[in-house]
Amino acid sequence: MTAQVKNVDALTREEAAQTLAELAEQIARHDQLYHQQDAPEISDAEYDELRRLNSAIEERFPDLALTDGPSGRVGAAPASGFSKVAHAQPMLSLSNAFEANDVVEFIARVRRFLGLEEAETVEIVAEPKIDGLSASLRYEGGVFLLGATRGDGTTGENITANLKTIADIPETLPPDAPAIFEVRGEVYMSREDFFALNERQTAAESKTFANPRNAAAGSLRQLDSSITAARPLRFFAYSTGETSEPVADTHWNFLSHLKDWGFSVNPLSRLCADSTEALALYEEIDAARSSLPYDIDGIVYKINRLDWQSRLGMVSRAPRWAIAHKFAAEQAETVLHNISIQVGRTGALTPVAELEPITVGGVVVSRATLHNADEIERKDVRAGDSVIVQRAGDVIPQVVRAIAEKRPKDSKPFIFPDHCPECGSVVMQEEGEVVRRCTGGLICPAQALERLKHFVSRNAFDIEGFGGKHIEAFRTDGLIKTPADIFRLASHTEEISTRDGWGEQSTDNLLAAIEARRHIPLERFIYALGVRQVGQSNGRLLARHYGTFEALSEAMAAAQDPESEAFSALIAIDGIGPSVAADLIAFFAEDHNQTVLNELAELLDIEPFIQAETDSPIAGRTVVFTGTLEEMTRGEAKARAETLGAKVSGSVSKKTDFVVAGPGAGSKAKKAAELGVTVLSEQQWLEMLNGEATP
Ligand code: IVH
């Protein structure tokens, strides 16, 4: 189940790090389900909420952002079967707005970033956000040569043959189109075509699709393009990738060229003079939404002037010049049959509503989290209640409320168990925490299982072809009890290869995959242990600090004494507080854990931490901007510096590497001089950024 975070502002640093690690894992899983398997388990709105939460936490704790985390990535790496295509320019995603005010704020941000005078108008193009999947089409010499999916934003799949079957996509362009021209847009299926396709699929006893988007995705990813040709796919063009020459000065004119060249551009798109007009269009289209022939999930606003777009650039994976304004949540009524309790890796007990399955916004929902005991009490939901469920703006399907009038007469309030339903151990609630936890530790089968699953998960040991289901089955049959047993499976070859669904080949593959993971970077190893509050980010902090597993292990033993130097050193690590330290020390002190750790150390090659190198001259440096900048606004300067890996600070100290001083610089420049910190002019700074001078 998902980390529930109501208020990002209230998160401690440790909670933030933990949540970011959890979110990274969840988002990666959902990316995989959505992009590679065309089988999402959550709605787009829920997915967006995960992303939003991730960004909000990263914004508050920028240094905790994971380099390989969700904001650096778009979608999932391409699946096999198609050849890969490196995008000449990355295919971006969009940040989201959920209410009108977010849109107003978006325009204000743009204005601040560009340093615009009040009198200057900012035109916006508003377009429906088509609920399909994006594709990039490359024309050379006016001929459609290469078409690709978005993939992870950098590399997609070559689906040229499939795209050529789509009637909306012109084979050739008129001579006035640029010699090299990449156009991007959305492949989608109309609702009517989707229903008809599902009928044909049912008649043929083939798989049906959950919604038009999945149908479009499944049709586009056929290895046999004659199947794609039989599927009624369409295409709306809305942006560009590489072009050999500029096409227009504004996005609006660009769209008009697209139409001239034979592309289909969404007819509801409109040029708006300001946010008021754009928001009015949003309302208008929202009202007409259900009568449109295709699914849309919001409105995209784009800054019309292309010179401004290029100045605005992008932040992590999304452009600063566009935003997607999502339509509100869809709700539905259903019956809550039962409240069950799930026990997680760290013993947390999560109540789950078991629902009469219901379709909300195109996806069937049968379970929803109730978060914790307080939440159940606050909402007073009971088994047997008719409830309103919602999917949007929230992480997982949510029970909004119970319908009082429909409550069965004999209904009783839910009583939260005081013993773990899995192992019978006492349930405890720590002071200041809302979660209740099973105190069974390793004797609790649910916790032990979840820990094993975590151990092999993607960001931990990532053993190919060895997922949660296998772990569960192997554990039930006694093949593995502890993580160390995984690395001893080679002595059970016979038992594995004779299992149901297994053969010699698959056993060999599994053992090879396990073998490949005998060498593991220290930070992954630490993360894999599943110590409470030690996610990827804290794993990396510890790896960086201690360097080797031996050093970490010794330090944790010594740190049991709170008077020791080892303890002081541990809590002095920036990002590790007393609470994380306590969990770590307790983990290493536990006898069972010690045994497993010693076994693992014998079986594995835990690689020492290697400091990452980056090629940007300012990566890792701390910069302070002061005075007036002439080439760009402060915001733009800060963003560029951060993109190159620099840390931007507001005040000068001994830790400052450079002060960039423009006209009117006062006390900060003076302080820099006193401290002997290098002071650069804006020009010198720009030269450094461009690699023309080295620090
Ligand atoms: S512009 C650089 N315009 O939404 C910006 N995207 O959440 C690129 N989408 O990946 C996207 N309709 O698949 C844009 N009118 C529209 C869109 C649109 C649908 C999709 C697209 C994109 C995703 C981002």
Side-chain angles (χ1 to χ4, degrees), residues 92-94 127-130 134 150 186 238 300 302 319 321:
L92 302 177
S93 185
L94 292 169
E127 303 167 1
K129 187 170 186 298
I130 314 299
S134 50
R150 179 167 74 171
E186 204 80 354
Y238 52 64
V300 185
K302 300 174 182 175
W321 46 263

Side-chain angles (χ1 to χ4, degrees), residues 279-295:
L279 289 168
L281 184 69
Y282 171 90
E283 295 298 340
E284 203 180 294
I285 295 182
D286 193 9
R289 186 180 171 194
S290 57
S291 58
L292 290 180
Y294 43 81
D295 280 355

Side-chain angles (χ1 to χ4, degrees), residues 10-79:
L11 283 181
T12 64
R13 218 181 135 72
E14 287 139 28
E15 288 166 348
Q18 173 79 17
T19 312
L20 284 176
E22 285 175 19
L23 285 168
E25 202 172 301
Q26 287 170 10
I27 291 172
R29 196 173 84 82
H30 292 304
D31 279 346
Q32 175 97 14
L33 287 167
Y34 184 99
H35 291 283
Q36 293 187 357
Q37 301 171 20
D38 301 324
E41 284 178 4
I42 58 173
S43 71
D44 290 0
E46 286 159 12
Y47 176 82
D48 289 342
E49 175 61 14
L50 288 178
R51 287 266 187 195
R52 193 196 59 75
L53 188 58
N54 189 74
S55 312
I57 301 175
E58 284 184 351
E59 201 168 300
R60 233 196 103 205
F61 300 97
D63 57 318
L64 294 183
L66 301 166
T67 42
D68 51 354
S71 12
R73 257 186 302 113
V74 175

